[in-house]
Amino acid sequence: MNIVMFGPPGSGKGTQAKILEVKRGLPQLSTGDMLRAAIAAGTELGKKCREIMDAGELVPDDVVIGIIAERYDLPDCDKGAVFDGFPRTIPQARALDSMLKMRSRKIDLVIELKVNDAVLIDRVKQRIKESGGVGRADDTPETLQNRLTVYYQNTAPLLEYYKRQGKLVTVDGMAPIEAVTTAIAAIIDQAERKG
Ligand code: AMP
């Protein structure tokens, strides 16, 4: 099964994707994590993306499409994967659809975590506090504002794209983590029963 975890920054996509990886054996494919790893390793890709990410802007579509395709072809994705932070634009969603089609696969479910902006801002402030100043370079109040703007401009239109495909399911992302996990499990179980 191939699942897209969808939502704004701080909505809990990563947390829930990690839980799915452990419980269902579906690898979490986080483009944000892959790009941060490239920065940490000092690769050319990392150098190219660092400033863009620090500003809370999107790295070019071809860059993330390339790294996702390469990662998806590793054997641990044989049974599918959970996409976390990808796709973020319509061209990325189209590229993902055609990449999967070429492999006789498809996106089965898109799970949207719905969270109000005020709650997102509070969560990221909390994450900054907990990291003691050595957390993510893009976790600053100013950059978060830009990441939210970018989300509503470029990424939110994907909701309509997936709704039209009949794949979108929305979950209350403001509920406690365990309640969100339970809601997601029920959605996946139901989709599996339908085949
Ligand atoms: P994330 O960890 O998903 O919040 O991503 C952190 C940053 O990495 C984003 O603010 C973007 O700069 C970049 N990034 C991650 N995924 C994508 C993507 N699918 N498209 C473009 N940029 C991305």
Side-chain angles (χ1 to χ4, degrees), residues 18-65:
K18 278 195 185 76
I19 293 172
L20 287 178
E21 176 168 89
V22 173
K23 288 201 175 161
R24 311 232 174 202
L26 295 172
Q28 172 199 15
L29 304 196
S30 158
T31 38
D33 284 351
M34 294 174 206
L35 293 167
R36 280 184 289 276
I39 291 176
T43 65
E44 279 309 309
L45 174 72
K47 283 180 200 145
K48 187 173 160 190
C49 297
R50 178 174 217 143
E51 267 183 45
I52 302 174
M53 289 173 70
D54 284 356
E57 298 291 335
L58 295 180
V59 307
D61 286 336
D62 58 337
V63 170
V64 280
I65 291 165

Side-chain angles (χ1 to χ4, degrees), residues 9 15 21-24 26 30 53 56 71 74 91 106 114 137 139 149 163 191-192:
T15 302
E21 176 168 89
V22 173
K23 288 201 175 161
R24 311 232 174 202
L26 295 172
S30 158
M53 289 173 70
R71 176 66 186 85
L74 296 183
K106 64 176 169 52
K114 219 180 168 78
D139 267 349
T149 304
K163 203 168 168 182
E192 271 176 351

Side-chain angles (χ1 to χ4, degrees), residues 47-187:
K47 283 180 200 145
K48 187 173 160 190
C49 297
R50 178 174 217 143
E51 267 183 45
I52 302 174
M53 289 173 70
D54 284 356
E57 298 291 335
L58 295 180
V59 307
D61 286 336
D62 58 337
V63 170
V64 280
I65 291 165
I67 58 173
I68 262 300
E70 204 174 296
R71 176 66 186 85
Y72 190 79
D73 282 334
L74 296 183
D76 62 337
C77 295
D78 275 356
K79 285 202 224 106
V82 180
F83 296 90
D84 163 14
F86 180 90
R88 262 174 153 101
T89 64
I90 297 276
Q92 289 179 26
R94 293 209 177 104
L96 178 61
D97 279 347
S98 57
M99 176 198 97
L100 290 171
K101 201 169 180 188
M102 281 193 289
R103 291 156 177 80
S104 305
R105 302 211 183 166
K106 64 176 169 52
I107 291 296
D108 297 284
L109 269 179
V110 178
I111 302 175
E112 179 199 9
L113 298 178
K114 219 180 168 78
V115 179
N116 292 344
D117 282 7
V119 174
L120 295 172
I121 292 166
D122 276 353
R123 282 186 186 176
V124 172
K125 279 189 186 152
Q126 188 62 28
R127 192 153 80 181
I128 296 168
K129 224 195 271 168
E130 282 165 10
S131 73
V134 289
R136 286 172 52 159
D138 60 351
D139 267 349
T140 66
E142 302 75 39
T143 311
L144 175 65
Q145 198 51 57
N146 194 35
R147 285 159 66 204
L148 280 174
T149 304
V150 167
Y151 172 79
Y152 289 115
Q153 266 175 10
N154 300 281
T155 309
L158 288 177
L159 290 169
E160 193 52 39
Y161 177 90
Y162 285 120
K163 203 168 168 182
R164 255 188 261 139
Q165 292 189 358
K167 293 177 181 170
L168 183 69
V169 188
T170 300
V171 169
D172 175 10
M174 289 176 288
I177 292 179
E178 302 74 38
V180 176
T181 303
T182 305
I184 291 173
I187 291 164

